[in-house]
Coordinates of all heavy atoms in Angstrom, one line a residue:
A100 N -63.0 -0.3 78.7 CA -62.5 0.4 77.5 C -63.0 1.9 77.6 O -64.0 2.2 78.1 CB -63.1 -0.3 76.3
V101 N -62.2 2.7 77.0 CA -62.5 4.1 76.9 C -63.6 4.3 75.8 O -63.5 3.8 74.7 CB -61.2 5.0 76.5 CG1 -61.6 6.4 76.3 CG2 -60.2 4.8 77.6
T102 N -64.6 5.1 76.2 CA -65.7 5.3 75.3 C -65.7 6.8 74.8 O -65.0 7.6 75.4 CB -67.1 5.1 76.0 OG1 -67.2 6.2 77.0 CG2 -67.2 3.8 76.6
Q103 N -66.4 7.0 73.7 CA -66.5 8.4 73.2 C -67.1 9.3 74.3 O -66.7 10.5 74.3 CB -67.4 8.4 71.9 CG -67.4 9.8 71.2 CD -66.0 10.3 70.8 OE1 -65.2 9.5 70.3 NE2 -65.7 11.5 71.1
E104 N -68.0 8.8 75.1 CA -68.6 9.6 76.1 C -67.5 10.1 77.1 O -67.5 11.2 77.6 CB -69.6 8.8 76.9 CG -70.6 9.6 77.6 CD -71.6 8.8 78.4 OE1 -71.7 7.5 78.2 OE2 -72.3 9.4 79.3
D105 N -66.6 9.2 77.5 CA -65.5 9.6 78.4 C -64.7 10.7 77.8 O -64.3 11.7 78.4 CB -64.5 8.4 78.6 CG -65.1 7.2 79.3 OD1 -66.0 7.5 80.1 OD2 -64.7 6.1 79.1
I106 N -64.5 10.6 76.5 CA -63.7 11.7 75.8 C -64.5 13.0 75.8 O -63.9 14.0 76.0 CB -63.3 11.2 74.3 CG1 -62.4 10.0 74.4 CG2 -62.8 12.4 73.5 CD1 -62.1 9.4 73.1
D107 N -65.8 12.9 75.5 CA -66.6 14.1 75.5 C -66.6 14.8 76.8 O -66.5 16.0 76.9 CB -68.0 13.8 75.0 CG -68.1 13.3 73.6 OD1 -67.1 13.5 72.9 OD2 -69.1 12.7 73.2
D108 N -66.7 14.0 77.9 CA -66.7 14.5 79.3 C -65.4 15.2 79.5 O -65.3 16.3 80.1 CB -66.9 13.4 80.3 CG -68.3 12.9 80.3 OD1 -69.2 13.5 79.7 OD2 -68.6 11.8 80.9
A109 N -64.3 14.6 79.1 CA -63.0 15.2 79.3 C -62.8 16.5 78.6 O -62.2 17.4 79.0 CB -61.9 14.2 78.9
K110 N -63.5 16.6 77.4 CA -63.4 17.8 76.6 C -64.1 18.9 77.3 O -63.7 20.1 77.3 CB -64.0 17.5 75.2 CG -64.0 18.7 74.3 CD -62.6 19.0 73.8 CE -62.5 20.1 72.7 NZ -62.9 21.4 73.2
V111 N -65.3 18.6 77.9 CA -66.0 19.6 78.6 C -65.1 20.2 79.7 O -65.1 21.4 79.9 CB -67.3 19.0 79.3 CG1 -68.0 19.9 80.2 CG2 -68.3 18.6 78.1
K112 N -64.4 19.3 80.4 CA -63.5 19.7 81.5 C -62.4 20.7 80.9 O -62.0 21.7 81.6 CB -62.9 18.5 82.2 CG -62.0 18.7 83.3 CD -62.8 19.1 84.6 CE -61.9 19.3 85.8 NZ -62.4 20.2 86.8
V113 N -61.9 20.3 79.8 CA -60.8 21.1 79.1 C -61.3 22.5 78.9 O -60.7 23.5 79.2 CB -60.3 20.5 77.8 CG1 -59.4 21.4 77.0 CG2 -59.6 19.2 78.1
D114 N -62.5 22.6 78.3 CA -63.1 23.9 78.0 C -63.4 24.7 79.3 O -63.2 25.9 79.3 CB -64.4 23.7 77.2 CG -64.2 23.1 75.8 OD1 -63.0 23.2 75.4 OD2 -65.1 22.6 75.2
E115 N -63.8 24.0 80.3 CA -64.1 24.7 81.6 C -62.8 25.3 82.2 O -62.8 26.4 82.6 CB -64.6 23.7 82.7 CG -66.1 23.4 82.6 CD -66.6 22.3 83.5 OE1 -65.8 21.9 84.4 OE2 -67.7 21.8 83.3
E116 N -61.7 24.5 82.1 CA -60.4 25.0 82.7 C -59.8 26.1 81.8 O -59.2 27.0 82.3 CB -59.4 23.8 82.8 CG -59.8 22.8 83.9 CD -59.9 23.4 85.3 OE1 -59.3 24.4 85.5 OE2 -60.6 22.8 86.1
A117 N -60.1 26.0 80.5 CA -59.5 27.1 79.6 C -60.1 28.4 80.0 O -59.4 29.4 80.0 CB -59.9 26.7 78.1
I118 N -61.4 28.5 80.3 CA -62.0 29.7 80.6 C -61.5 30.3 81.9 O -61.4 31.5 82.1 CB -63.6 29.5 80.8 CG1 -64.2 29.2 79.4 CG2 -64.2 30.8 81.4 CD1 -65.6 28.6 79.5
K119 N -61.0 29.4 82.8 CA -60.5 29.8 84.1 C -59.1 30.4 84.1 O -58.6 30.9 85.1 CB -60.6 28.7 85.1 CG -62.0 28.3 85.5 CD -62.0 27.3 86.6 CE -63.2 26.3 86.6 NZ -62.9 25.1 87.3
V120 N -58.4 30.1 83.0 CA -57.0 30.6 82.9 C -57.1 32.1 82.7 O -57.7 32.6 81.8 CB -56.2 30.0 81.7 CG1 -54.8 30.6 81.6 CG2 -56.2 28.5 81.9
P121 N -56.4 32.9 83.6 CA -56.5 34.4 83.5 C -55.8 34.9 82.3 O -54.9 34.2 81.7 CB -55.9 34.9 84.8 CG -54.9 33.8 85.2 CD -55.6 32.5 84.8
T122 N -56.1 36.1 81.9 CA -55.4 36.7 80.8 C -54.3 37.7 81.3 O -54.7 38.5 82.1 CB -56.4 37.5 79.9 OG1 -57.3 36.5 79.4 CG2 -55.7 38.1 78.7
V123 N -53.1 37.6 80.9 CA -52.1 38.5 81.3 C -52.2 39.8 80.5 O -52.3 39.8 79.3 CB -50.7 37.9 81.1 CG1 -49.6 38.8 81.6 CG2 -50.6 36.6 81.9
V124 N -52.2 40.9 81.3 CA -52.4 42.2 80.6 C -51.1 43.1 80.6 O -51.0 44.0 79.7 CB -53.6 43.0 81.1 CG1 -54.9 42.3 80.8 CG2 -53.5 43.3 82.6
Q125 N -50.2 42.8 81.5 CA -49.0 43.6 81.5 C -47.9 42.9 82.4 O -48.3 42.4 83.5 CB -49.2 45.0 82.1 CG -48.0 45.9 81.9 CD -48.3 47.3 82.2 OE1 -49.2 47.6 83.0 NE2 -47.5 48.3 81.7
V126 N -46.7 42.8 81.9 CA -45.6 42.3 82.7 C -44.4 43.3 82.6 O -44.0 43.6 81.5 CB -45.1 40.9 82.2 CG1 -44.0 40.3 83.1 CG2 -46.3 40.0 82.0
K127 N -44.0 43.9 83.8 CA -43.0 44.9 83.7 C -42.2 44.9 85.0 O -42.6 44.3 86.0 CB -43.6 46.2 83.4 CG -44.5 46.7 84.5 CD -44.9 48.1 84.2 CE -45.8 48.6 85.4 NZ -46.3 50.0 85.2
E128 N -41.1 45.7 85.0 CA -40.4 46.0 86.2 C -40.8 47.4 86.7 O -41.0 48.3 86.0 CB -38.9 46.0 85.8 CG -37.9 46.4 86.9 CD -37.8 47.9 87.1 OE1 -38.1 48.7 86.1 OE2 -37.3 48.4 88.2
K129 N -40.9 47.5 88.1 CA -41.2 48.8 88.7 C -40.5 48.8 90.1 O -40.7 47.8 90.8 CB -42.7 49.0 88.8 CG -43.1 50.4 89.1 CD -44.6 50.6 89.2 CE -44.9 52.0 89.5 NZ -46.4 52.2 89.7
F130 N -39.8 49.8 90.4 CA -39.1 49.9 91.6 C -38.2 48.7 91.9 O -38.2 48.2 93.1 CB -40.0 50.2 92.8 CG -40.8 51.5 92.6 CD1 -42.2 51.5 92.8 CD2 -40.2 52.7 92.3 CE1 -42.9 52.6 92.6 CE2 -40.9 53.8 92.1 CZ -42.3 53.8 92.3
G131 N -37.7 48.1 90.9 CA -36.8 47.0 91.1 C -37.4 45.6 91.2 O -36.7 44.6 91.4
T132 N -38.8 45.6 91.2 CA -39.4 44.3 91.3 C -40.4 44.0 90.1 O -40.8 45.0 89.4 CB -40.2 44.0 92.6 OG1 -41.1 45.1 92.8 CG2 -39.2 44.0 93.8
L133 N -40.8 42.8 89.9 CA -41.7 42.4 88.9 C -43.1 42.8 89.2 O -43.5 42.7 90.3 CB -41.6 40.8 88.8 CG -42.6 40.1 87.9 CD1 -42.3 40.4 86.4 CD2 -42.6 38.6 88.1
R134 N -43.8 43.2 88.2 CA -45.2 43.5 88.3 C -45.9 42.7 87.2 O -45.6 42.8 86.0 CB -45.6 45.0 88.1 CG -44.9 45.9 89.0 CD -45.2 45.6 90.5 NE -44.2 46.0 91.4 CZ -44.1 47.2 92.0 NH1 -45.1 48.0 91.9 NH2 -43.1 47.5 92.8
F135 N -46.8 41.8 87.6 CA -47.5 40.8 86.7 C -49.0 41.0 86.8 O -49.6 40.7 87.8 CB -47.0 39.4 87.1 CG -47.3 38.3 86.2 CD1 -46.4 37.9 85.3 CD2 -48.6 37.7 86.2 CE1 -46.7 36.8 84.4 CE2 -48.9 36.7 85.3 CZ -47.9 36.2 84.4
Y136 N -49.6 41.7 85.9 CA -51.0 42.0 86.0 C -51.8 41.1 85.1 O -51.5 40.8 83.9 CB -51.2 43.5 85.5 CG -50.5 44.5 86.3 CD1 -49.4 45.2 85.8 CD2 -50.9 44.7 87.7 CE1 -48.7 46.2 86.6 CE2 -50.2 45.7 88.4 CZ -49.1 46.4 87.9 OH -48.4 47.3 88.6
I137 N -52.9 40.6 85.7 CA -53.9 39.7 85.0 C -55.3 40.2 85.1 O -55.6 41.1 85.9 CB -53.8 38.3 85.6 CG1 -54.1 38.3 87.1 CG2 -52.5 37.6 85.3 CD1 -54.3 36.9 87.7
Q138 N -56.1 39.6 84.2 CA -57.5 39.9 84.3 C -58.2 38.6 84.6 O -57.8 37.5 84.2 CB -58.0 40.2 82.9 CG -58.5 41.6 82.7 CD -58.7 42.0 81.3 OE1 -58.7 41.2 80.4 NE2 -58.7 43.3 81.0
A139 N -59.3 38.6 85.4 CA -60.1 37.5 85.8 C -59.3 36.4 86.6 O -59.4 35.2 86.3 CB -60.7 36.8 84.5
G140 N -58.5 36.9 87.6 CA -57.8 36.0 88.4 C -58.5 35.6 89.7 O -59.4 36.3 90.1
T141 N -58.1 34.5 90.3 CA -58.7 34.0 91.5 C -57.7 34.3 92.7 O -56.5 34.7 92.4 CB -58.9 32.5 91.5 OG1 -57.6 31.9 91.4 CG2 -59.8 32.1 90.4
D142 N -58.0 34.1 93.9 CA -57.1 34.3 95.0 C -55.9 33.4 94.9 O -54.8 33.9 95.2 CB -57.8 33.9 96.4 CG -58.8 35.0 96.8 OD1 -58.8 36.1 96.1 OD2 -59.5 34.8 97.8
E143 N -56.1 32.2 94.4 CA -55.0 31.3 94.2 C -54.0 31.9 93.2 O -52.8 31.9 93.4 CB -55.5 29.9 93.7 CG -54.4 28.9 93.7 CD -54.9 27.6 93.0 OE1 -56.1 27.5 92.5 OE2 -54.1 26.7 92.8
H144 N -54.5 32.4 92.1 CA -53.6 33.0 91.1 C -52.8 34.2 91.7 O -51.6 34.3 91.5 CB -54.5 33.6 89.9 CG -55.2 32.5 89.1 ND1 -56.4 32.7 88.6 CD2 -54.8 31.3 88.8 CE1 -56.8 31.6 87.9 NE2 -55.8 30.7 88.1
Y145 N -53.5 35.1 92.5 CA -52.8 36.2 93.0 C -51.8 35.8 94.1 O -50.8 36.5 94.2 CB -53.9 37.2 93.6 CG -54.6 38.0 92.5 CD1 -55.9 37.7 92.2 CD2 -53.9 38.9 91.7 CE1 -56.6 38.3 91.2 CE2 -54.6 39.5 90.6 CZ -55.9 39.2 90.4 OH -56.5 39.9 89.3
N146 N -52.0 34.7 94.8 CA -51.0 34.2 95.7 C -49.7 33.8 95.0 O -48.6 34.2 95.4 CB -51.5 33.0 96.5 CG -52.5 33.5 97.6 OD1 -52.6 34.6 98.0 ND2 -53.4 32.5 98.0
Y147 N -49.9 33.1 93.9 CA -48.7 32.8 93.1 C -48.0 34.0 92.6 O -46.7 34.1 92.6 CB -49.1 31.9 91.9 CG -49.4 30.4 92.2 CD1 -50.6 29.9 91.9 CD2 -48.5 29.7 92.9 CE1 -50.9 28.6 92.2 CE2 -48.8 28.3 93.2 CZ -50.0 27.8 92.8 OH -50.3 26.5 93.1
I148 N -48.7 35.0 92.1 CA -48.2 36.2 91.5 C -47.4 36.9 92.6 O -46.3 37.4 92.4 CB -49.3 37.1 90.9 CG1 -49.8 36.4 89.6 CG2 -48.7 38.5 90.6 CD1 -51.0 37.0 89.0
S149 N -48.0 37.0 93.8 CA -47.4 37.7 94.9 C -46.0 37.1 95.3 O -45.0 37.8 95.5 CB -48.3 37.7 96.1 OG -47.8 38.2 97.2
F150 N -46.0 35.8 95.3 CA -44.7 35.1 95.6 C -43.7 35.3 94.5 O -42.5 35.6 94.8 CB -45.0 33.6 95.7 CG -43.8 32.8 96.1 CD1 -43.4 32.8 97.4 CD2 -43.1 32.0 95.2 CE1 -42.2 32.1 97.8 CE2 -41.9 31.3 95.5 CZ -41.5 31.3 96.8
A151 N -44.1 35.3 93.2 CA -43.2 35.5 92.1 C -42.6 37.0 92.2 O -41.4 37.2 92.0 CB -43.9 35.3 90.8
E152 N -43.5 37.9 92.5 CA -43.0 39.3 92.6 C -42.0 39.5 93.7 O -41.0 40.2 93.6 CB -44.2 40.2 92.8 CG -45.1 40.3 91.5 CD -46.3 41.2 91.6 OE1 -46.8 41.5 92.8 OE2 -46.9 41.5 90.6
S153 N -42.2 38.8 94.8 CA -41.3 38.8 96.0 C -39.9 38.2 95.5 O -38.9 38.8 95.9 CB -41.7 38.0 97.2 OG -43.0 38.5 97.6
M154 N -40.0 37.1 94.8 CA -38.7 36.5 94.4 C -37.9 37.4 93.5 O -36.7 37.4 93.5 CB -39.0 35.2 93.6 CG -39.4 34.0 94.4 SD -38.2 33.5 95.6 CE -36.8 33.1 94.6
S155 N -38.6 38.2 92.7 CA -37.9 39.1 91.8 C -37.0 40.1 92.6 O -36.0 40.6 92.1 CB -38.8 39.8 90.8 OG -39.6 40.8 91.5
G156 N -37.5 40.4 93.8 CA -36.8 41.4 94.6 C -35.4 40.9 95.2 O -34.7 41.6 95.8
C157 N -35.2 39.6 95.0 CA -33.9 39.1 95.4 C -33.2 38.3 94.3 O -32.4 37.4 94.5 CB -34.0 38.2 96.7 SG -35.2 36.9 96.6
T158 N -33.6 38.6 93.1 CA -33.0 37.9 91.9 C -32.5 39.0 90.9 O -33.3 39.8 90.5 CB -34.1 37.1 91.2 OG1 -34.7 36.2 92.2 CG2 -33.6 36.3 90.1
C159 N -31.3 38.9 90.5 CA -30.7 39.9 89.5 C -31.6 39.9 88.3 O -31.8 38.9 87.6 CB -29.3 39.5 89.2 SG -28.5 40.6 88.0
E160 N -32.0 41.1 87.9 CA -32.9 41.2 86.7 C -32.1 40.9 85.4 O -32.7 40.6 84.4 CB -33.5 42.6 86.7 CG -34.6 42.8 85.6 CD -35.1 44.2 85.5 OE1 -34.9 45.0 86.4 OE2 -35.7 44.5 84.4
T161 N -30.8 41.1 85.5 CA -30.0 40.9 84.3 C -29.6 39.4 84.0 O -29.8 38.9 82.9 CB -28.7 41.7 84.4 OG1 -29.1 43.1 84.7 CG2 -27.9 41.7 83.1
C162 N -29.2 38.7 85.1 CA -28.7 37.4 84.9 C -29.4 36.3 85.7 O -29.2 35.1 85.4 CB -27.2 37.3 85.2 SG -26.9 37.4 87.0
G163 N -30.3 36.6 86.7 CA -31.0 35.6 87.4 C -30.3 35.1 88.7 O -30.8 34.3 89.4
K164 N -29.0 35.5 88.9 CA -28.4 35.1 90.1 C -29.0 35.8 91.3 O -29.6 36.8 91.2 CB -26.9 35.5 90.1 CG -26.1 34.6 89.2 CD -24.6 34.9 89.2 CE -23.8 34.2 88.1 NZ -22.6 34.9 87.8
P165 N -28.7 35.3 92.6 CA -29.2 36.1 93.7 C -28.8 37.5 93.7 O -27.6 37.8 93.4 CB -28.5 35.3 94.9 CG -28.3 33.9 94.4 CD -27.9 34.1 93.0
G166 N -29.7 38.4 94.0 CA -29.4 39.8 94.0 C -30.0 40.6 95.1 O -30.7 40.0 95.9
K167 N -29.8 41.9 95.1 CA -30.4 42.8 96.1 C -31.0 44.0 95.5 O -30.6 44.4 94.4 CB -29.3 43.3 97.1 CG -28.8 42.2 98.0 CD -27.7 42.6 98.9 CE -27.3 41.5 99.9 NZ -25.9 41.6 100.4
R168 N -31.9 44.6 96.2 CA -32.5 45.9 95.6 C -31.6 47.0 96.0 O -31.2 47.2 97.1 CB -33.9 46.1 96.2 CG -34.9 45.0 95.7 CD -36.3 45.3 96.3 NE -36.9 46.4 95.7 CZ -37.7 47.3 96.3 NH1 -37.9 47.2 97.6 NH2 -38.3 48.2 95.6
L169 N -31.2 47.7 94.9 CA -30.2 48.8 95.1 C -30.7 50.1 94.5 O -31.6 50.1 93.8 CB -28.9 48.4 94.4 CG -28.2 47.0 94.8 CD1 -27.2 46.6 93.8 CD2 -27.6 47.1 96.2

Side-chain angles (χ1 to χ4, degrees):
V101 173
T102 64
Q103 185 58 46
E104 201 185 347
D105 294 331
I106 294 172
D107 294 345
D108 288 348
K110 179 71 171 71
V111 169
K112 183 78 180 151
V113 171
D114 294 342
E115 279 172 12
E116 291 300 336
I118 293 165
K119 291 187 211 159
V120 178
T122 301
V123 181
V124 293
Q125 190 173 23
V126 186
K127 65 173 183 180
E128 174 276 340
K129 193 178 179 187
F130 301 131
T132 57
L133 172 70
R134 302 299 154 95
F135 193 97
Y136 299 111
I137 56 171
Q138 246 167 18
T141 62
D142 285 352
E143 188 188 358
H144 295 145
Y145 287 109
N146 286 338
Y147 283 125
I148 291 170
S149 174
F150 184 76
E152 289 178 345
S153 303
M154 282 304 295
S155 70
C157 56
T158 305
C159 176
E160 189 185 342
T161 306
C162 73
K164 284 185 190 157
K167 288 177 177 156
R168 293 180 74 216
L169 302 167

